[in-house]
Each structure stands twice: as structure tokens, then as C-alpha cells.
Amino acid sequence: MNILEHMNAEGHEQVAMFSDPASGLKAIIAVHDTTLGPACGGTRMWPYESEAEALTDALRLSQAMTYKSAAAGLHFGGGKGVIIGDPHKVKSEALMRAYGRSVDTLGGRYLTTTDVGTTARDLEFMRQETRHVTGLPVSLGGSGDTSIMTGLGLYMGMKACAEEVWGNGGLRGKTVAVQGFGKVASHLCEHLMEEDTRIVVTDVFEDALDRARDWGLEVTSPNSIMTTDCDIFAPCALGGVLNSQTIPQLKCRVVAGGANNQLLSDDDGEELHRRGILYAPDYIINAGGIINVEAEMGDAGYSPERAREKTERIHEIMGSVIRTSQAEEISTAVAAAHLAEERLDSVRRIRSMRRSCQ
């Protein structure tokens, strides 16, 4: 991969790579765009097969974070950190503190929080080395578990899609197939269970499936979830699951889930639209976590009420994306991108005018 050419093509401002032999840290931080404020995004720890795979993930995820914050009306730019390694095997205090020192070298251009493979405990270790950490436990003055609001946002986005497809937002009696049963999916399912929704879940980890069974949920194999006959398919694991091979297998009317970068390519968003499957762009409906983080940044400190109020607006934002898609006869993926780009362009114009007046 020609890194600089890729950065220029996608508008990335910075990519930083870090190594700490003593702890075993190998990490990449990508800053996509800081037009709206400091880049903010979680740190993902995953056993990537290569550095190129990790870099590609960081670049794609950081761009999605720019769009996520822009569409949600937040004052954050987009960034993402990835740590190469199996969190179940090589994670340690020393590694997380080394990563915290890496974050600190960026001087506040990037604010980190949790993502797949990292926890609030990891943030506490990072906090020993840098102040540029968000989403800390409430006991430490932070906003706590971001997955709670992320799950709520997914639920609100689903309801907006249900209103469009079935004429009302009720999910009672509908079948939702959930791919991945981690923290975000668990909080989503709590809301769905309150509506007496039929839920079918899968996960690659047996302990997650055991928890699903304890909740009384139906469980299926990872290889079967994409072909489950359902009303809503909810990808809540890793990205790229919607592609030319998997989309023809779908048996649903709506795709709405928490995984980042669900579309392997832009063409996949167009294919869902062509097939009449309503796609809820991931960065629109999974923004509850970053909204929760922003709610701790004000002078008054974290307000769960403010976080919940802004997260519930995802219903309205998703509705706006659907209306734009219909009015302009474009896919919801393109409509969502237009929404984010319009805000970015408007702030760039404001900044340009200010500079010209100085």
C-alpha cells in the first residue's frame, strides 16, 4: 500500500506508528479530519494478520469516525487507534501504559476511548500516561461504559427504519438476527426484549453464546446467521460483512447494526438499495458511544440525561437520511455521507471566512 497516496485520496491528515519492544506494543493511530475538533475514536486491539491489514482498518475506521461525529452534530474530528495483538493473550498493564504514552505524543490531536478488545480498565492504565483519554469510569469523573448509549442508539435507529418499512416503529413480533453478542449487542437486545422481539444471535466466543442462552435467546452458528430468515439483520461484530458474497444471502428487509464499516465497498451500499433492503448506515446509528463521550467534555461534567437525549435524536437523524434517500433517489449510504459532508463543508467555509477577515 502506498500510504501517502491513500491518505491523500481519503483526506487523512496523519498516520502515526508506534513500537515499544519492552511491552510488545505495536500500534497505529490514524487522524482523519480535525475540522470539527480534536480527532476522537476508540482504540481497537485485534490479532491482525499483517501490519497492512491493521493500517487499512485504522484508515477506514478513522474516516468513519469523522462522518459519525459530523452527522451527530458533535464537536469532534475522526480518529482511530489499533493495537496489533490478541487481547486475550498479550494484553498487559505495561502494554496499555506504553500505548498511553504513544497517544500523549500527539498532544491532544487524538482522544481515545474503548473499542473492540479494550476495556475501561485499559483506559485507566492509559490514563496513567496521558490525559487524552475519554470514557473513563464514572467514579473517575468520566462518562462510563459507552456501549450502553451505543445500544440505545442502535435501537432508536432500528425503530426509525421500522417506521419506514412497516408503517410504525414497533418491533414486537419482529425477528432480529444479531451477528456478535458483545457489550453493544447485549444492550441492544435488552431494549428489544422489552418489546418482545424475537432475537436470534451468534458469536465466535462460546461464553457469549452461553450468556445468550441464559437470557433465553435463540442461538445459531456464525455460518448460519447471514441466511437467517428475519426482519432485521444486525451486524454487531467486525466490518466488511456486507459484500458481494453475503448480500445475496440476506433474508431481511432492514440491515441495522453496531459494527463499524459494515460495507466492504461503496458498491455494496448501492446493491442493498437496489435489492430494496433498507440499510441504516453504521456511523449514523452507532453514534451513541461517541455522544456519551462528548457529554463528559463540558464544564459541568458528565450528564447522563444530556447523553441520553442526544442519543435518542439518532431516530430523527436516521429518518432524515431515509427522506433524503427517497427524495434524491440515492442509497441511504450516499445520503448519510452527504449529511456528514455538508456539515464539514459548512464549518470549513466558516473557518475560511474567519481567516480572510484577519
Side-chain angles (χ1 to χ4, degrees), residues 56-197:
T56 298
D57 209 23
L59 292 171
R60 294 190 72 210
L61 290 167
S62 61
Q63 184 179 27
M65 289 305 302
T66 295
Y67 279 24
K68 183 182 298 189
S69 289
L74 307 181
H75 302 294
F76 284 143
K80 205 73 176 185
V82 299
I83 298 173
I84 302 172
D86 188 335
H88 299 286
K89 296 179 180 179
V90 300
K91 187 192 294 186
S92 66
E93 176 182 354
L95 187 146
M96 287 300 161
R97 292 185 67 156
Y99 180 74
R101 292 192 295 274
S102 301
V103 171
D104 202 58
T105 65
L106 299 181
R109 278 176 55 78
Y110 170 64
L111 309 176
T112 193
T113 186
T114 58
D115 199 294
V116 175
T118 57
T119 66
R121 181 61 172 158
D122 298 326
L123 295 182
E124 293 182 44
F125 290 141
M126 296 176 202
R127 187 66 172 76
Q128 298 300 311
E129 307 291 341
T130 182
R131 300 191 66 82
H132 307 306
V133 177
T134 60
L136 287 162
V138 175
S139 60
L140 296 178
S143 55
D145 187 354
T146 59
S147 66
I148 298 173
M149 288 300 165
T150 306
L152 173 62
L154 296 183
Y155 175 63
M156 300 307 297
M158 277 189 184
K159 291 180 76 66
C161 292
E163 287 180 5
E164 171 60 25
V165 174
W166 295 292
N168 66 78
L171 297 173
R172 181 182 178 87
K174 296 291 187 293
T175 298
V176 179
V178 182
Q179 183 186 49
F181 195 58
K183 292 190 296 182
V184 169
S186 297
H187 289 298
L188 165 64
C189 289
E190 288 173 348
H191 294 291
L192 296 177
M193 290 168 70
E194 291 178 359
E195 283 208 48
D196 198 23
T197 306

Side-chain angles (χ1 to χ4, degrees), residues 70-325:
L74 307 181
H75 302 294
F76 284 143
K80 205 73 176 185
V82 299
I83 298 173
I84 302 172
D86 188 335
H88 299 286
K89 296 179 180 179
V90 300
K91 187 192 294 186
S92 66
E93 176 182 354
L95 187 146
M96 287 300 161
R97 292 185 67 156
Y99 180 74
R101 292 192 295 274
S102 301
V103 171
D104 202 58
T105 65
L106 299 181
R109 278 176 55 78
Y110 170 64
L111 309 176
T112 193
T113 186
T114 58
D115 199 294
V116 175
T118 57
T119 66
R121 181 61 172 158
D122 298 326
L123 295 182
E124 293 182 44
F125 290 141
M126 296 176 202
R127 187 66 172 76
Q128 298 300 311
E129 307 291 341
T130 182
R131 300 191 66 82
H132 307 306
V133 177
T134 60
L136 287 162
V138 175
S139 60
L140 296 178
S143 55
D145 187 354
T146 59
S147 66
I148 298 173
M149 288 300 165
T150 306
L152 173 62
L154 296 183
Y155 175 63
M156 300 307 297
M158 277 189 184
K159 291 180 76 66
C161 292
E163 287 180 5
E164 171 60 25
V165 174
W166 295 292
N168 66 78
L171 297 173
R172 181 182 178 87
K174 296 291 187 293
T175 298
V176 179
V178 182
Q179 183 186 49
F181 195 58
K183 292 190 296 182
V184 169
S186 297
H187 289 298
L188 165 64
C189 289
E190 288 173 348
H191 294 291
L192 296 177
M193 290 168 70
E194 291 178 359
E195 283 208 48
D196 198 23
T197 306
R198 178 185 172 226
I199 305 169
V200 182
V201 306
T202 195
D203 200 287
V204 296
F205 296 111
E206 194 60 34
D207 58 345
L209 296 181
D210 288 340
R211 180 163 48 84
R213 294 185 184 98
D214 289 342
W215 286 20
L217 305 181
E218 296 181 44
V219 170
T220 190
S221 70
N223 292 333
S224 301
I225 194 69
M226 299 290 293
T227 59
T228 298
D229 194 351
C230 60
D231 298 295
I232 301 173
F233 173 60
C236 294
L238 297 179
V241 297
L242 300 172
N243 53 60
S244 59
Q245 282 73 46
T246 60
I247 290 174
Q249 301 178 44
L250 294 174
K251 299 177 181 178
C252 62
R253 295 288 305 281
V254 174
V255 173
N260 290 310
N261 292 336
Q262 295 165 23
L263 302 175
L264 187 61
S265 71
D266 293 340
D267 290 341
D268 298 316
E270 298 304 312
E271 180 63 11
L272 287 169
H273 182 66
R274 188 187 71 79
R275 289 174 176 267
I277 298 174
L278 178 56
Y279 169 60
D282 44 64
Y283 59 82
I284 296 293
I285 68 169
N286 71 8
I290 196 72
I291 290 171
N292 196 63
V293 164
E294 195 205 41
E296 76 177 58
M297 305 299 286
D299 294 336
Y302 176 61
S303 167
E305 294 79 13
R306 184 169 69 248
R308 185 177 184 88
E309 178 185 358
K310 294 191 73 170
T311 299
E312 288 177 345
R313 293 180 197 168
I314 288 174
H315 182 281
E316 176 184 341
I317 295 170
M318 186 62 224
S320 176
V321 169
I322 293 171
R323 290 190 295 273
T324 299
S325 169

